[in-house]
Amino acid sequence: VAATPAADTRGFESRTRDDGAVVSSIKGPFKGWDGQGDRITLVNGQVWEVTDSSARLKVSLQDPTVIVEPGILNSWYLKVEGYNTRARVKRIK
């Protein structure tokens, strides 16, 4: 009998125990983010929302790799591979 894989709860407040970063990509064209409220959907099905009103990234990329890294106090930061700019995010799906 095969075991059912555990649900990936990284990024959800009070349900996060794994300190590993999420490495995924965004399917299709990606133009960056303009600040608080922008939602970013990853190919793994996760949806992250930018919570930092001062975070900005203007790019024109196709299928970029993104990394969502844990910070302190249950914070998470999303960055596009190859760029230094990152945005504070919260997982909503």
Side-chain angles (χ1 to χ4, degrees):
V1 176
T4 302
D8 184 350
T9 59
R10 290 180 285 185
F12 288 123
E13 285 187 38
S14 75
R15 290 190 279 172
T16 299
R17 286 287 178 205
D18 184 358
D19 287 338
V22 175
V23 179
S24 189
S25 62
I26 299 168
K27 183 177 175 130
F30 178 65
K31 302 292 183 190
W33 55 80
D34 288 322
Q36 189 170 6
D38 283 0
R39 291 187 176 184
I40 300 167
T41 302
L42 308 182
V43 296
N44 65 8
Q46 294 178 357
V47 179
W48 294 82
E49 182 176 277
V50 176
T51 61
D52 183 355
S53 62
S54 64
R56 304 273 189 279
L57 177 66
K58 296 291 184 191
V59 294
S60 183
L61 302 170
Q62 184 70 30
D63 303 319
T65 298
V66 296
I67 303 161
V68 185
E69 300 172 311
I72 58 170
L73 301 174
N74 288 327
S75 62
W76 289 82
Y77 294 92
L78 183 142
K79 67 180 182 177
V80 177
E81 188 173 67
Y83 292 83
N84 288 332
T85 302
R86 66 183 190 166
R88 186 173 178 160
V89 293
K90 69 177 179 180
R91 185 170 171 193
I92 58 173
K93 178 180 175 195

